[in-house]
Amino acid sequence: MPKVHSIRMATVLMAGGVSLAAMQQAQAAGFQLKEQSAQSQGNAFAGATATASDLSTIYFNPAGMTRLKHSGMDTNISYIVPSSTLTLENSSNPTSGLGTPLGNGNGGDAGGGVFVPAFYGMYSYDEDLKFGLSINTPFGLSTEYEDGWAGRYHGLKSAIMSINVTPSVAYRINKNLSVGAGVSLQYVEAELTKAVTDVGSANIANDGKSSLQGDDIGFGGRIGLLYEFNDATRVGASYQSRVRHNLKGEVEYKGLSAATIGALNGAGKQSVTHDASAKLVTPDIFSIGVSHDLNEKWTVLGEASRTQWSTFKHLQVLDNNGVEDENIYQNYQASHFVALGATYRHDKHNTFRFGMAFDEGAVETEHRTVRIPDADRYWLSVGYGYTADNFDVNIGYSYIKAADASLYESNTGTDGMISGTYDSDVNILAVNATWKF
């Protein structure tokens, strides 16, 4: 791949492929999606690795399956509505030594509603041995800015779809200790676009567009422990491994002058396309949770997790021969999530849930980009559940407010400069239905 192509691809991937999903302020640091259970949503995911009261434990802590008596299946849908707007302070054109402003366009609201599904199934072999399957989206979502906005050379659209398929098994060793494990197959598909200056045109205001599309399948694993001190108190811990991906696809340039297309080895064409690849590693996640029944009515919950986002220290871009063209420093940091919650059982049918959480951002101010204006987030959640003999329904709602996120992104000669402050929040509504048999 010619050097100019690898550089542009590296720039696109650094800003977007690292965040990929970048509905950054939406759920968790970076592009992680915690929204895998309406029941846990109501508690702001406090106690998610210890509660083990619904089938989503197959994802959060497979060892928790030993607490579930019946075989069953669960369908969960989360509707996530993030809003992220930039108060623009300054910008400049990449072809003019960072001297020409790019206008006042802030790109509009980069958010937009999206549905995130999850499915769980479990077969209860006996009281001590359980088999489970989870199919969900642990990383995902998208951002899209208006075409003419001031930061268009840094990013227009970032979209990702991920699918995790994880068969799991759990076994109760004794009355106190259960263990669980699963093997994950993870599919990732990404699309990233940005504007490109047309250096071959007499009018430097002319823009083209570059787009990257790629996908890959990777493998990982999950292990969990659940220790029950007594009928009222238990602690759970889980570890989800990193998954290594080598996204393979192509980069396309279009909307450029014939001279620029020719310089990109596309003489006589309207557009030019090149094969490309880039390495992506989803992070390790370690979680620990606690659940304690105060009495027959009230349960208090706690959760803490660490997501090892430092897997994004560098982004490596390879040409068609596997030779490294670029290795770009990204400087993501490990992030932490802490949640407290409570559950109130009004009677055997009706349950109410409450929760709050702090979610630490994965990127420091000096490394924040338009594709991932990541910042600390604060959660408030409520939920309701109805339980019947063979059927459960849960609803969970969260409001998330992100701290103001200042931005200064500059790359002389390729993307220009943009600065400002992001204001972001998120509304999330989740519903699930569980059948027991």
Side-chain angles (χ1 to χ4, degrees):
M1 180 167 53
K3 192 72 171 181
V4 64
H5 307 144
S6 65
I7 291 174
R8 293 195 185 279
M9 179 187 174
T11 306
V12 173
L13 277 169
M14 177 181 65
V18 170
S19 76
L20 287 178
M23 226 39 272
Q24 334 71 327
Q25 313 296 352
Q27 323 48 285
F31 53 95
Q32 182 185 1
L33 291 170
K34 287 187 176 292
E35 291 71 21
Q36 310 298 333
S37 166
Q39 184 179 118
S40 292
Q41 191 80 51
N43 293 125
F45 297 93
T49 59
T51 303
S53 58
D54 76 329
L55 290 174
S56 69
T57 191
I58 300 170
Y59 172 74
F60 291 108
N61 181 2
M65 286 190 283
T66 61
R67 286 187 53 83
L68 305 177
K69 298 182 182 301
H70 305 284
S71 300
M73 57 183 293
D74 179 296
T75 299
N76 189 91
I77 296 290
S78 300
Y79 184 55
I80 305 173
V81 186
S83 176
S84 186
T85 56
L86 175 68
T87 299
L88 183 64
E89 295 174 358
N90 198 8
S91 65
S92 60
N93 194 303
T95 62
S96 57
L98 302 183
T100 304
L102 285 170
N104 298 318
N106 72 347
D109 189 343
V114 64
F115 289 95
V116 177
F119 170 83
Y120 307 99
M122 190 192 82
Y123 171 65
S124 178
Y125 181 80
D126 57 31
E127 291 184 358
D128 297 326
L129 181 62
K130 316 286 181 177
F131 297 93
L133 176 69
S134 66
I135 304 173
N136 63 343
T137 302
F139 303 99
L141 291 182
S142 66
T143 53
E144 188 166 8
Y145 295 93
E146 297 169 355
D147 282 350
W149 85 291
R152 59 191 179 273
Y153 302 114
H154 297 275
L156 288 172
K157 180 180 180 181
S158 308
I160 188 175
M161 178 191 73
S162 72
I163 300 174
N164 248 41
V165 179
T166 307
S168 303
V169 61
Y171 181 70
R172 182 183 295 276
I173 296 176
N174 55 47
K175 68 177 184 178
N176 300 112
L177 179 63
S178 297
V179 296
V183 177
S184 298
L185 179 151
Q186 185 177 94
Y187 172 76
V188 170
E189 180 180 272
E191 178 186 3
L192 308 164
T193 71
K194 59 180 285 189
V196 179
T197 54
D198 194 345
V199 296
S201 171
N203 182 0
I204 64 170
N206 289 346
D207 283 342
K209 182 181 287 188
S210 70
S211 64
L212 165 70
Q213 292 183 325
D215 60 6
D216 185 55
I217 294 176
F219 296 90
R222 182 178 298 122
I223 58 174
L225 301 173
L226 185 70
Y227 190 84
E228 301 174 71
F229 292 92
N230 48 51
D231 290 340
T233 305
R234 56 191 174 274
V235 173
S238 70
Y239 170 75
Q240 178 178 311
S241 75
R242 64 187 63 184
V243 179
R244 300 181 184 277
H245 291 280
N246 186 22
L247 296 176
K248 293 184 178 181
E250 59 185 28
V251 176
E252 180 184 22
Y253 297 89
K254 59 184 178 180
L256 298 166
S257 67
T260 300
I261 291 293
L264 294 170
N265 295 335
K269 300 180 180 180
Q270 298 297 312
S271 64
V272 60
T273 301
H274 294 278
D275 293 336
S277 66
K279 295 187 181 300
L280 170 70
V281 183
T282 59
D284 308 81
I285 303 171
F286 177 75
S287 302
I288 186 168
V290 61
S291 173
H292 176 67
D293 297 334
L294 296 175
N295 50 48
E296 292 183 355
K297 295 289 187 179
W298 285 97
T299 298
V300 292
L301 305 160
E303 189 82 9
S305 65
R306 176 184 173 91
T307 303
Q308 195 62 38
W309 284 114
S310 59
T311 55
F312 291 111
K313 288 293 186 184
H314 297 267
L315 182 71
Q316 186 182 45
V317 181
L318 302 177
D319 65 14
N320 297 339
N321 298 316
V323 177
E324 181 179 281
D325 280 305
E326 295 292 325
N327 200 343
I328 301 173
Y329 191 61
Q330 184 60 37
N331 200 37
Y332 268 46
Q333 305 294 320
S335 67
H336 301 86
F337 177 88
V338 180
L340 296 173
T343 295
Y344 174 72
R345 289 172 293 278
H346 179 70
D347 54 39
K348 68 177 183 178
H349 296 298
N350 299 281
T351 303
F352 299 88
R353 298 180 176 88
F354 315 90
M356 62 178 65
F358 169 73
D359 191 9
E360 183 183 29
V363 62
E364 297 177 343
T365 298
E366 59 266 33
H367 301 290
R368 187 173 290 123
T369 72
V370 301
R371 293 192 188 264
I372 184 164
D374 196 25
D376 295 344
R377 287 160 294 278
Y378 303 87
W379 294 54
L380 287 175
S381 298
V382 294
Y384 167 75
Y386 179 81
T387 301
D389 290 339
N390 299 311
F391 186 78
D392 296 345
V393 175
N394 288 277
I395 299 173
Y397 168 78
S398 295
Y399 174 74
I400 305 173
K401 178 61 180 174
D404 289 346
S406 60
L407 170 77
Y408 182 87
E409 190 174 0
S410 176
N411 194 343
T412 305
T414 58
D415 299 327
M417 181 276 290
I418 185 169
S419 63
T421 302
Y422 278 92
D423 180 24
S424 304
D425 62 11
V426 191
N427 288 277
I428 303 171
L429 179 65
V431 179
N432 86 310
T434 304
W435 295 265
K436 295 170 283 186
F437 45 84

